[in-house]
Amino acid sequence: AVPATVRSLSEFIEWSRANPSRSNYGSPGAGTLPHVVAAMLYRETKVEAQHVAYAGGPPAMVDLMGGRIACLVLPEGLLRPHHAAGKLRVLATSGATRSVFMPDVPTFVEQGHPNLSLREWFAFFMPSTTATALVEGASQSIRTAAQSKALPAALAEMGMLASAGSPAAMSERIATEQRYWRDAIPATGIRLE
């Protein structure tokens, strides 16, 4: 869908601007973090593009590889094998620093897009009525697993890093994320359907 001469994020943005009828992007679903990241990029660069929502990452990947969509934002684990095989061009990663899994790919931040320093993360939650001792015990078990060899190795296969903190640190992170997304989501122009 995109000429082979487009090799960088800035070239892709210029190509998209010059080809609005062909500039479409896929995501694993409306409202997912990949959808939001792409919408933020297009909004920031003032490029018009059509969003195509898929029922998950694999079907979106099939259409990207088949040339039916111009670009796709997905977790690294789904992109890495195709990138390593030279079958797909990964133009940017969304972390504050380069990915340990694809260190040859520059970040959005490196390429002049500081608002796109985002990482998808997962956490363990318990009901708010859970006894403090149980929460602390579970937290310690998770920290132990994150420091083992098995869990980080299994997560690395999916392009993910293992880390663990305290319940208080998680509460702080959630509050910080809520403040960020309260402003960021409306700025993307994404609306409930």
Side-chain angles (χ1 to χ4, degrees):
V2 179
T5 55
V6 175
R7 307 297 299 173
S8 70
L9 183 61
S10 61
E11 290 172 350
F12 177 73
I13 291 166
E14 289 308 312
W15 176 86
S16 296
R17 192 171 280 124
N19 296 277
S21 65
R22 295 168 55 199
S23 182
N24 54 17
Y25 66 98
S27 79
T32 59
L33 185 60
H35 176 202
V36 172
V37 168
M40 289 173 76
L41 175 67
Y42 284 115
R43 184 81 160 206
E44 184 177 293
T45 57
K46 296 175 177 51
V47 170
E48 293 294 323
Q50 179 65 40
H51 174 240
V52 181
Y54 288 85
M61 180 65 77
V62 168
D63 275 4
L64 178 70
M65 301 298 284
R68 288 178 283 284
I69 55 175
C71 84
L72 176 62
V73 177
L74 277 181
E76 293 175 46
L78 293 172
L79 301 173
R80 189 172 49 179
H82 304 289
H83 173 67
K87 293 180 179 179
L88 117 88
R89 292 165 273 171
V90 178
L91 303 179
T93 58
S94 63
T97 59
R98 288 191 182 206
S99 165
V100 297
F101 304 112
M102 293 190 287
D104 59 319
V105 178
T107 66
F108 284 115
V109 173
E110 286 178 88
Q111 299 179 76
H113 303 282
N115 295 328
L116 293 175
S117 178
L118 308 164
R119 279 277 184 208
E120 192 168 36
W121 54 273
F122 300 90
F124 290 92
F125 294 90
M126 300 176 91
S128 61
T129 56
T130 305
T132 302
L134 287 175
V135 171
E136 291 298 334
S139 180
Q140 181 55 51
S141 295
I142 292 166
R143 280 193 296 277
T144 300
Q147 294 168 355
S148 71
K149 289 183 179 179
L151 180 62
L155 290 175
E157 288 295 317
M158 297 181 284
M160 300 168 70
L161 298 172
S163 67
S166 68
M170 178 50 58
S171 293
E172 185 177 317
R173 178 168 192 163
I174 290 170
T176 299
E177 295 265 338
Q178 286 175 327
R179 284 189 300 273
Y180 174 81
W181 290 112
R182 193 172 298 124
D183 295 331
I185 294 291
T188 64
I190 294 173
R191 302 278 181 255
L192 289 174
E193 296 176 1

